[in-house]
Amino acid sequence: MIQKITLTPFNSFVIPFMAGVLFLLVVCIWKYIRWIRLFNEEQRAVLRKNWISWNIFPAIWEMLREGLLHIRIFKRNVVLGIMHQAYALGWFLLIVAGAMESMSAVRHLNSDNSPEFASELISQGNWIAYSKTDTPATDILQNNPENVKIHYKRPLHLAIFYRYFLHSNSPQFKNAKFYANLMDALLLYVFLGLTLAVIKIFRSRLMGMRNTTRHTIIDRFSKMSLWCIFPLRFLAESVTASLYGNGGFWTLSLAKLFDPVIVEGMEMSLWLFYSIMLTIFFVTMPFTRYMHIFTELFLIYFRKIGMTECNAKSGYSMFELNACSRCGICIDGCPLNRDVNGHKVQAVYLIRSIRMKERASVIRTMSTDCLMCGQCSIACPVQIDIASLRKIQRNKGAIDTRGNYSYLHGMRSPFNAMGRVAYFGGCMSHLTPGITTAMEQIFNAAGIKYWHMDHHATICCGRPLEQQGFFNQAAELREKNKRLLEESGAEMLVTSCPICYQSFTKEYKLDIPVMHHTVFIDKLISEGRLTVRHGQAKTAYHDPCELGRGMGIYNEPRRVLEAVSNPQTVKLERENSICCGFNLGNTVLGINDQTKIRNAAIENLTESGAETIATACPMCKKAFLHNTKQPVRDIAELVAENIILEN
Amino acid sequence: MKDFGFAIEKPRALDTDKTNRELYTRLLKREPSFARCFQCGMCSATCSARNFTDYNIRRIHTLFRQGQTQELDQMLKACMLCGKCTLVCPRGVNLRHLIIQMRKLLNND
């Protein structure tokens, strides 16, 4: 009769590890359930509707690409990408390869069924044997070794502490040496990331970062435990290798330096330290920046199924807040860091303060002091919707009552606007009337019937209020403008102001197409409705924040500019262009700081040797005007100067 | 009675000794650039809301300085926060922040 016995690896040092894993699991599940319950109606509807859809595949693809490979960081900076990838991919593969290694080993041991080896493992004290019958497993092994079926268990910790539990003279399974070398290679890969991380602390410029995040104490503590995990694993494996001769190329090479007699006593304690470091990391993880590891994956999934941030703090914002790894990539680009001192308000700090529930006044100051230029959103490798998170915080501090806009009731659209192109200059173009005049010339030259909506008086588009968190007042203004447009029967809307353009496109939900004037002119020129001559002026184009980063329009203005002038290459352009400093996003920034940012932007533009500075935003134009030696022109003005009229 | 568009205002006398300047000093702390204002009226001239109504930032400033704050909150609600006033101000007063802070002070925040 065949008797069954079961062997499972155990040593007291796995207890902290298992406790840590259990704690992490419980806390994470508890947090995630709580946040999902915090979803508002809109987000719940999305989740109910789309939780299983084809979008899961792109979501999984992005999880792999951003969670493990970190392609976005790579695109920004290769060395930084290698560092983040080595950590994420290296550790992930280490776990996968470890699991596969222990799986193959156990499968081999089970099929091998060698009673001698089993008794040896038991005698070493690291494997516990038990049987289902009353007879103890050791007796079965001794008395009846022929008729015993040994079953080896594979608990979670076998993969993590594999070299300790299976070392001496184990019956070699087929790819044992390959796995040992693979694990060493992966550990070496993680060490590469670790080395780069240490370099980043002392010489961040070598890693392509001018500024790095200043972390809190608990974050640093957690980071230290993370940094200790891998060297301790390496040391522990090397000591075991020097005693028993197992391990791959790297551990064995270090093992040769050790005297087995001396290091024998250290083996247990090294493995214990390794386990404790893992435990510290797991226990601190849900309360530190490392919470991003799993949260990022959830966020990618929710985003891919169509969830967005809304006007109040919700479960989705909790996922966004916790998906921030505080990598600090957003700090460098911020104009309030680059050109002005003393504004520690970057996305990473704001998100941390909200997450750590700092005092309301601190968070309020941080959230208001921001130009909303969008540099951080472009830089963020997790693509957190920082502008919306900021608006939610601003809304908390704002007195968001209904406005007193009864004076707008009298506004009526004219009878002759039917079927025309509505032209909305925006508030700011009233300060730079050259733009509206130029646009009128262009409309006339192209033979387009237009209706200048705000020729005499303008109703603000609502975005300035929206950005400051006055959601109700902004909605009132939007309603007014929307009614005006719908009543008029205009078939298209052209705006000169990128702020209005973004508002009309994203928030109004109009039935008619909305275009920025650069896009409109580009269309006119390419359709041959407008003929322009190629001027000789050397121009430098300034990408307005709201048009470029806000709406992703980079090529149309450049095409128009190429048609009428000689555009020069600017050092920081497209996504990286500097804000003009006068963006409406910031209400608290004083004139001195605004001027500093503006001067940096002007310097960036004039370095190219341009004779004329070209913009596509009345606000940027107003900011630059009279502060440069070069004339500042809007693209519409440059086009209007160079129109060839066909008689 | 027929409305000719004119009205006779009630006679008012302002006792400057009894002016409540508490709110004004608190406002100055929150937005020090207000002290630079020399009441030129550029802000009111360029104001979008001023195009439609008698909303007048310069007047509001004066009333706020004098502590006559009874109807100011309702008046300030007419602001669309478009920021033209801030851009044209020759003294670099941060008017948008000023308006937000005025409303906060008037609402005891």
Side-chain angles (χ1 to χ4, degrees):
Chain A
M1 188 200 136
I2 288 176
Q3 281 178 304
K4 271 187 164 180
I5 66 164
T6 310
L7 257 73
T8 183
F10 180 77
N11 191 306
S12 48
F13 67 66
V14 305
I15 294 173
F17 167 75
M18 291 310 274
V21 172
L22 194 70
F23 179 82
L24 178 65
L25 210 65
V26 170
V27 174
C28 280
I29 290 175
W30 182 68
K31 282 196 172 201
Y32 289 142
I33 288 178
R34 210 178 44 149
W35 297 340
I36 289 173
R37 285 167 65 109
L38 279 175
F39 278 159
N40 64 14
E41 274 311 310
E42 213 175 299
Q43 290 158 348
R44 273 165 205 239
V46 172
L47 194 61
R48 267 197 296 271
K49 200 173 137 215
N50 294 344
W51 73 281
I52 286 189
S53 64
W54 291 111
N55 285 333
I56 289 179
F57 297 106
I60 291 171
W61 170 235
E62 198 185 325
M63 283 177 198
L64 292 176
R65 224 184 44 181
E66 293 310 321
L68 293 176
L69 300 175
H70 291 90
I71 300 294
R72 279 196 202 109
I73 305 183
F74 253 104
K75 278 184 187 161
R76 223 178 157 72
N77 184 319
V78 177
V79 194
L80 213 56
I82 292 175
M83 183 196 120
H84 286 87
Q85 196 187 61
Y87 265 133
L89 187 67
W91 203 5
F92 177 73
L93 288 181
L94 210 56
I95 294 169
V96 172
M100 281 165 66
E101 184 185 30
S102 63
M103 222 187 290
S104 326
V106 165
R107 199 184 300 139
H108 177 78
L109 289 175
N110 278 334
S111 64
D112 199 41
N113 204 20
S114 148
E116 294 85 30
F117 184 64
S119 359
E120 196 192 324
L121 280 182
I122 296 166
S123 67
Q124 280 170 354
N126 290 327
W127 288 70
I128 296 169
Y130 53 91
S131 63
K132 292 230 171 85
T133 51
D134 292 337
T135 347
T138 37
D139 292 355
I140 299 174
L141 261 183
Q142 267 172 9
N143 304 335
N144 199 1
E146 278 79 38
N147 289 330
V148 68
K149 175 82 191 85
I150 310 162
H151 176 65
Y152 292 87
K153 281 209 145 202
R154 195 175 57 82
L156 187 62
H157 56 255
L158 180 62
I160 313 293
F161 306 98
Y162 176 81
R163 301 250 177 279
Y164 182 80
F165 285 117
L166 282 175
H167 46 65
S168 61
N169 312 325
S170 46
Q172 287 297 302
F173 64 96
K174 205 171 144 206
N175 291 325
K177 199 65 199 167
F178 164 74
Y179 273 119
N181 284 330
L182 176 69
M183 292 294 280
D184 269 14
L186 289 173
L187 195 60
L188 205 58
Y189 183 38
V190 177
F191 262 67
L192 172 72
L194 201 62
T195 320
L196 291 175
V198 176
I199 294 174
K200 190 174 135 226
I201 281 204
F202 295 105
R203 285 274 180 279
S204 64
R205 271 167 196 272
L206 287 179
M207 306 282 298
M209 285 177 86
R210 277 184 296 131
N211 301 84
T212 51
T213 324
R214 282 200 54 79
H215 287 299
T216 50
I217 289 184
I218 181 162
D219 271 348
R220 288 179 197 190
F221 181 66
S222 193
K223 181 164 77 182
M224 281 304 141
S225 69
L226 177 67
W227 283 11
C228 288
I229 289 172
F230 301 103
L232 277 171
R233 180 187 173 115
F234 179 49
L235 270 180
E237 284 188 341
S238 300
V239 166
T240 307
S242 83
L243 293 174
Y244 305 103
N246 62 350
F249 63 97
W250 199 35
T251 37
L252 274 175
S253 64
L254 183 69
K256 281 187 187 129
L257 299 177
F258 292 148
D259 187 342
V261 183
I262 296 171
V263 294
E264 197 181 356
M266 284 160 56
E267 193 197 9
M268 255 294 279
S269 46
L270 279 172
W271 283 102
L272 177 66
F273 276 138
Y274 171 51
S275 169
I276 288 176
M277 282 307 152
L278 279 169
T279 315
I280 293 178
F281 183 68
F282 288 156
V283 169
T284 49
M285 195 179 127
F287 313 105
T288 57
R289 65 204 190 102
Y290 296 104
M291 189 62 183
H292 78 270
I293 297 172
F294 302 126
T295 317
E296 191 184 336
L297 307 179
F298 281 91
L299 181 67
I300 290 170
Y301 168 70
F302 289 138
R303 196 189 290 141
K304 280 282 170 193
I305 65 169
M307 224 177 263
T308 46
E309 194 67 80
C310 55
N311 278 350
K313 198 173 173 184
S314 63
Y316 185 74
S317 350
M318 291 309 293
F319 278 102
E320 286 211 306
L321 293 176
N322 285 275
C324 171
S325 65
R326 291 174 212 161
C327 60
I329 296 177
C330 54
I331 302 176
D332 270 349
C334 180
L336 289 183
N337 172 63
R338 184 170 45 201
D339 308 316
V340 183
N341 294 326
H343 294 261
K344 216 176 132 188
V345 297
Q346 285 74 28
V348 48
Y349 298 120
L350 176 75
I351 289 176
R352 184 173 73 195
S353 310
I354 302 173
R355 215 190 122 184
M356 295 297 166
K357 296 195 175 65
E358 277 183 31
R359 266 181 296 129
S361 59
V362 175
I363 296 177
R364 192 183 296 175
T365 323
M366 267 188 175
S367 61
T368 20
D369 190 8
C370 164
L371 288 161
M372 301 282 238
C373 71
Q375 281 277 13
C376 47
S377 312
I378 291 287
C380 181
V382 198
Q383 293 196 318
I384 298 173
D385 188 356
I386 298 157
S388 295
L389 286 175
R390 250 182 221 282
K391 276 196 274 183
I392 293 170
Q393 293 306 319
R394 288 179 175 188
N395 178 249
K396 278 187 185 169
I399 304 162
D400 189 18
T401 53
R402 281 186 68 81
N404 178 13
Y405 299 127
S406 52
Y407 59 84
L408 295 176
H409 285 325
M411 284 289 276
R412 286 280 175 272
S413 49
F415 298 109
N416 59 356
M418 184 67 76
R420 293 186 177 219
V421 171
Y423 172 62
F424 189 86
C427 304
M428 286 302 158
S429 65
H430 284 251
L431 297 180
T432 50
I435 298 176
T436 46
T437 319
M439 277 312 288
E440 282 173 357
Q441 281 173 18
I442 291 167
F443 281 126
N444 289 333
I448 291 166
K449 287 187 170 163
Y450 67 96
W451 161 46
H452 194 159
M453 258 179 92
D454 54 349
H455 187 62
H456 299 295
T458 184
I459 306 176
C460 176
C461 64
R463 191 165 164 78
L465 282 164
E466 174 88 20
Q467 278 188 327
Q468 297 309 322
F470 297 97
F471 297 146
N472 287 326
Q473 277 173 268
E476 271 180 80
L477 291 181
R478 281 204 294 270
E479 196 188 308
K480 293 269 185 318
N481 271 323
K482 195 175 179 180
R483 210 193 53 215
L484 212 57
L485 274 168
E486 279 169 356
E487 276 177 2
S488 73
E491 61 179 18
M492 186 186 190
L493 178 67
V494 175
T495 81
S496 274
C497 174
I499 302 170
C500 310
Y501 175 50
Q502 192 165 348
S503 184
F504 278 117
T505 319
K506 288 187 176 166
E507 284 147 13
Y508 275 71
K509 299 191 173 62
L510 294 169
D511 301 328
I512 53 173
V514 183
M515 277 191 191
H516 185 250
H517 71 249
T518 51
V519 185
F520 185 69
I521 296 171
D522 180 50
K523 199 166 149 253
L524 288 182
I525 293 177
S526 65
E527 283 174 2
R529 296 171 74 179
L530 194 70
T531 337
V532 286
R533 82 174 73 83
H534 189 268
Q536 292 311 309
K538 284 184 188 170
T539 50
Y541 177 60
H542 167 77
D543 280 286
C545 318
E546 302 264 333
L547 191 65
R549 283 183 291 266
M551 295 299 295
I553 290 178
Y554 299 108
N555 298 324
E556 288 89 344
R558 288 190 161 74
R559 270 206 296 273
V560 176
L561 211 55
E562 238 158 60
V564 295
S565 67
N566 294 315
Q568 307 291 306
T569 322
V570 178
K571 200 169 94 192
L572 294 170
E573 59 175 4
R574 290 176 179 260
E575 299 85 63
N576 298 323
S577 92
I578 308 176
C579 173
C580 70
F582 284 76
N583 195 327
L584 289 178
N586 200 332
T587 49
V588 292
L589 200 65
I591 189 82
N592 293 341
D593 287 347
Q594 282 181 321
T595 313
K596 277 182 201 161
I597 297 171
R598 181 191 67 203
N599 291 346
I602 289 176
E603 203 189 318
N604 174 45
L605 290 167
T606 48
E607 257 178 19
S608 65
E611 294 154 352
T612 305
I613 292 177
T615 76
C617 171
M619 172 92 87
C620 301
K621 191 189 167 191
K622 178 73 189 160
F624 292 153
L625 214 57
H626 310 309
N627 292 304
T628 56
K629 285 180 200 139
Q630 293 83 357
V632 185
R633 312 303 298 272
D634 192 275
I635 286 184
E637 293 174 276
L638 287 169
V639 170
E641 279 169 17
N642 291 301
I643 293 176
I644 302 172
L645 285 173
E646 292 156 7
N647 293 316
Chain B
M1 203 168 80
K2 192 164 171 57
D3 180 15
F4 290 100
F6 302 99
I8 299 168
E9 285 199 358
K10 281 178 195 159
R12 294 193 304 164
L14 206 63
D15 187 350
T16 43
D17 288 342
K18 287 179 186 163
T19 307
N20 181 6
R21 288 173 70 88
E22 191 213 331
L23 279 185
Y24 175 59
T25 34
R26 277 171 68 192
L27 183 66
L28 272 187
K29 262 186 205 144
R30 292 190 187 186
E31 186 50 60
S33 68
F34 189 25
R36 294 204 290 262
C37 175
F38 57 12
Q39 306 244 344
C40 65
M42 286 277 267
C43 44
S44 308
T46 190
C47 181
S48 288
R50 179 88 180 99
N51 272 332
F52 298 97
T53 174
D54 59 354
Y55 173 79
N56 185 331
I57 318 172
R58 182 162 60 161
R59 179 152 174 260
I60 291 172
H61 288 181
T62 313
L63 290 175
F64 202 93
R65 277 174 204 253
Q66 295 171 347
Q68 304 186 68
T69 53
Q70 297 81 17
E71 288 163 16
L72 283 191
D73 190 43
Q74 195 58 24
M75 280 165 135
L76 281 166
K77 275 187 194 172
C79 171
M80 300 195 265
L81 220 63
C82 71
K84 275 196 281 186
C85 46
T86 316
L87 273 179
V88 298
C89 180
R91 303 287 287 168
V93 178
N94 190 351
L95 274 123
R96 296 173 79 219
H97 191 227
L98 197 68
I99 289 167
I100 294 175
Q101 290 306 324
M102 272 188 194
R103 283 206 61 198
K104 281 196 170 176
L105 284 171
L106 292 170
N107 284 286
N108 305 319
D109 187 3

